[in-house]
Amino acid sequence: MSEAEIIAGGEWWRGAAVYQVYPRSFADSNGDGIGDLPGITAHLDHVARLGVDAVWISPFFTSPMVDYGYDVADYRDVDPIFGTLADFDALVARAHDLGLRVTIDLVFAHTSDKHPWFANSRSGHSGDHSDWYVWRDAKPDGTPPNNWQSVFGGPAWTWDGRRAQYYYHQFLAEQPQLNVHLPVVQDALLDVVRFWLQRGVDGFRFDALNHAMFDPDFTDNPPATDDKPRTRPFDFQIKQHSQGHPDVVGFVERIRSVCDEFGAVFSVAEVGGDDPLPLMKAYTAGTRRLSSAYGFDFLYAPTLSAAIVASSLRNWAGDAGGDGLGVGLGEGWPSWAFENHDAPRCLSRWAGGEDRGPFGRMVIALLGALRGNIFIYQGQELGLLQDEIPFEMLKDPEAIANWPQTLGRDGVRTPMPWDADAPHGGFTTGRPWLPLSAGNIARAVSAQEHDPGAMLAHTRHMLALRQTHMALRLGAIVDIRVLGNLLSFTRRHAGHTIHCAFNIGAAAHDHASPAGDVLYSVNGADLAHLPAWGAIYVGEDGG
């Protein structure tokens, strides 16, 4: 497959940049304080001007919003707070007009307890959906069937008096686990995939995919033996039996088969956990599984270091010895993100106050140089920081349950600031569902739009380089080196080479870059020197 075919046709997603929209917080079109689909459509020009290939929209389906959309009550409709199916169709049409692909989140490990399937399942043992969820009898003493714990705290089992059984939930009690082991359940979920593909969707992120299946013998999980901090009962176990069952691979292959019916569809698996790499490789290997795996290497890392980055890149080296596309024989394609709707803002985690400007410019250059797909979370292009939300204003059920040990997700979900001079940053004319800080309002799009030194300009420049230079987008990654805070590697494709170097430290260093054209210099870096937080791309052979 040629380079042109990869970008324009069968694998448009390979090496793509994807912009994540959290719809509740992106743009509010009707003044109710909650973002919506028409608000997204009205601001797609901003997304297109960044130079990304696609937009990923977090869940907007019908939901009681206990977990803010990740508890789905109807996979085939839009929740009224976000709009209508007609609004979604208009969004897709506008995105396609702008040259953007549309990717959406599908949550297949669980539904809401308000989903009609669950209502039927809990009504008795003989309903059409009686075994679509995971039901077990109590132990003789009335306690739960095994020791599995939920992510958000406490046992992963809740007693239901209607069936006089426990049901399994890996997250909230309001998110009962689907029995995805059953072919009939898989069939229903694959019909959901078809429904959205028929509406023009170009791809999917499959949320918590490794949570979709479990040990059908319900064996107890062993205790964790590491010395990591533990803030939840979930942390005390090795999740050996409650997630990551090998049969997920068969379901993955069925998903891919449906996607292939519709052509160039991007499919990415979210895979978390204590040892996600083997599952990420399994879900993406060969040509019959998913396009990519969305990992957690950087999302919760408290610091950024050259060694951490190098280790992650080496896990997905691809065709390191060749001069082709760098896809690797039988190896999947990675997807990288530094922040998202669940993980705190990277600049708040990784940089001190006075360093955040130059550090942020170096980080966006690093993201753009990585082999794989890159994800940019809304506001990351502005250098937004984590907002501090007082307890009385928290919405996130995890943060409320584990306060103050768990930072929670509200601080990264605060609204997108569009206009520094408008109330609430131009996000809404009403009262926003979460407050915006004055500091982030000052970083609004309007304040950066015409500033060549702003984070927004650097993000656009990085994305333009990635679109222009196929060595950055598609190339193999070779010669990964770490020397203290210095990280360097080379991207190579079809005879073109780009050397990339980064100083992930506050002290200046010498660095002997190869002779060539300086394609991108950050914070005063040149061929011989990398100042504090300096970065440079050097193209050899015009690469």
Side-chain angles (χ1 to χ4, degrees):
M1 184 177 292
S2 72
E3 173 184 299
E5 288 173 323
I6 287 172
I7 300 303
E11 293 188 342
W12 62 266
W13 50 266
R14 196 178 289 277
V18 182
Y19 185 88
Q20 183 192 356
V21 169
Y22 188 70
R24 196 176 186 91
S25 298
F26 193 62
D28 172 25
S29 70
N30 61 8
D32 66 357
I34 298 172
D36 46 44
L37 297 184
I40 297 172
T41 303
H43 289 83
L44 284 175
D45 293 78
H46 167 76
V47 179
R49 284 197 300 272
L50 286 176
V52 298
D53 301 277
V55 57
W56 154 33
I57 307 172
S58 293
F60 50 83
F61 315 109
T62 305
S63 168
M65 300 293 163
V66 178
D67 194 23
Y68 293 95
Y70 284 89
D71 48 327
V72 178
D74 186 346
Y75 287 110
R76 298 171 182 243
D77 206 354
V78 175
D79 194 276
I81 67 169
F82 296 131
T84 65
L85 280 171
D87 291 327
F88 180 78
D89 294 341
L91 187 160
V92 171
R94 177 60 179 156
H96 288 170
D97 286 346
L98 291 168
L100 294 169
R101 314 270 184 161
V102 177
T103 299
I104 65 173
D105 237 329
L106 288 180
V107 187
F108 282 173
H110 53 257
T111 70
S112 165
D113 62 349
K114 305 303 182 188
H115 197 293
W117 296 345
F118 188 69
N120 180 269
S121 188
R122 77 191 320 179
S123 66
H125 295 260
S126 59
D128 293 340
H129 303 88
S130 61
D131 56 353
W132 282 37
Y133 294 83
V134 185
W135 298 97
R136 296 288 285 175
D137 291 332
K139 289 182 177 179
D141 62 358
T143 55
N146 63 17
N147 73 346
W148 296 353
Q149 298 292 309
S150 70
V151 174
F152 290 157
W157 298 94
T158 290
W159 178 258
D160 187 87
R162 298 166 182 82
R163 281 187 54 140
Q165 287 184 304
Y166 282 97
Y167 67 87
Y168 178 43
H169 53 89
Q170 297 194 46
F171 295 88
L172 296 172
E174 294 86 354
Q175 295 169 300
Q177 177 83 14
L178 280 165
N179 188 1
V180 185
H181 285 284
L182 291 182
V184 66
V185 174
Q186 293 185 22
D187 291 343
L189 297 176
L190 295 175
D191 282 344
V192 171
V193 173
R194 290 188 182 92
F195 175 84
W196 291 106
L197 288 172
Q198 288 164 354
R199 299 198 88 90
V201 163
D202 303 290
F204 304 97
R205 171 190 177 269
F206 292 98
D207 179 75
L209 191 59
N210 56 317
H211 289 265
M213 293 187 195
F214 49 88
D215 173 14
D217 293 328
F218 297 95
T219 309
D220 280 353
N221 279 329
T225 56
D226 58 54
D227 57 358
K228 295 178 181 177
R230 311 195 197 287
T231 62
R232 307 164 295 176
F234 184 75
D235 302 325
F236 285 80
Q237 295 184 349
I238 299 172
K239 276 66 73 174
Q240 181 175 336
H241 303 293
S242 55
Q243 62 189 57
H245 192 274
D247 286 355
V248 173
V249 170
F251 181 45
V252 160
E253 291 180 348
R254 296 195 69 194
I255 292 172
R256 174 61 183 266
S257 179
V258 171
C259 290
D260 285 349
E261 294 173 15
F262 290 80
V265 176
F266 179 40
S267 54
V268 58
E270 184 203 28
V271 183
D274 299 326
D275 185 25
L277 188 62
L279 294 179
M280 295 169 71
K281 298 270 190 176
Y283 295 172
T284 59
T287 59
R288 296 177 52 228
R289 299 178 186 173
L290 302 187
S291 311
S292 185
Y294 181 93
F296 288 74
D297 298 61
F298 305 112
L299 287 174
Y300 296 103
T303 60
L304 182 71
S305 71
I308 289 172
V309 178
S311 176
S312 296
L313 293 178
R314 288 175 179 136
N315 287 332
W316 298 91
D319 184 22
D323 194 29
L325 300 177
V327 298
L329 295 176
E331 180 181 274
W333 191 258
S335 286
W336 308 104
F338 289 168
E339 59 189 51
N340 70 9
H341 63 292
D342 284 337
R345 295 284 184 184
C346 65
L347 296 188
S348 296
R349 284 183 283 131
W350 294 340
E354 69 277 7
D355 292 327
R356 281 176 175 152
F359 183 90
R361 291 189 286 273
M362 180 274 295
V363 164
I364 207 69
L366 173 62
L367 182 64
L370 300 182
R371 174 187 173 269
N373 305 307
I374 60 171
F375 283 72
I376 296 172
Y377 178 62
Q378 63 183 49
Q380 186 176 354
E381 75 274 23
L382 305 176
L384 296 190
L385 301 181
Q386 185 80 358
D387 277 325
E388 295 185 12
I389 308 298
F391 180 80
E392 62 273 13
M393 299 185 73
L394 288 176
K395 309 293 185 182
D396 176 16
E398 180 184 17
I400 293 169
N402 296 300
W403 178 268
Q405 297 302 318
T406 299
L407 181 62
R409 301 170 292 179
D410 289 334
V412 75
R413 296 178 176 183
T414 53
M416 178 80 171
W418 296 100
D419 186 346
D421 297 320
H424 310 302
F427 164 73
T428 182
T429 57
R431 180 180 180 181
W433 77 287
L434 282 173
L436 295 79
S437 67
N440 277 341
I441 290 175
R443 301 179 181 94
V445 174
S446 68
Q448 300 193 33
E449 185 66 54
H450 303 294
D451 180 357
M455 179 67 84
L456 179 58
H458 277 275
T459 304
R460 288 171 173 166
H461 184 51
M462 175 274 288
L463 289 167
L465 287 169
R466 192 172 172 93
Q467 292 284 8
T468 303
H469 297 280
M470 291 300 105
L472 291 173
R473 177 156 182 166
L474 299 176
I477 186 166
V478 298
D479 198 23
I480 302 171
R481 299 187 182 188
V482 174
L483 181 61
N485 290 326
L486 298 184
L487 168 71
S488 64
F489 51 80
T490 297
R491 303 296 309 279
R492 185 171 61 200
H493 171 75
H496 297 285
T497 298
I498 296 179
H499 175 78
C500 306
F502 308 88
N503 180 4
I504 310 180
H509 287 278
D510 293 336
H511 175 71
S513 295
D517 298 326
V518 176
L519 305 176
Y520 191 18
S521 172
V522 173
N523 299 324
D526 59 32
L527 294 176
H529 306 284
L530 289 176
W533 319 121
I536 194 167
Y537 296 177
V538 179
E540 303 175 68
D541 305 315

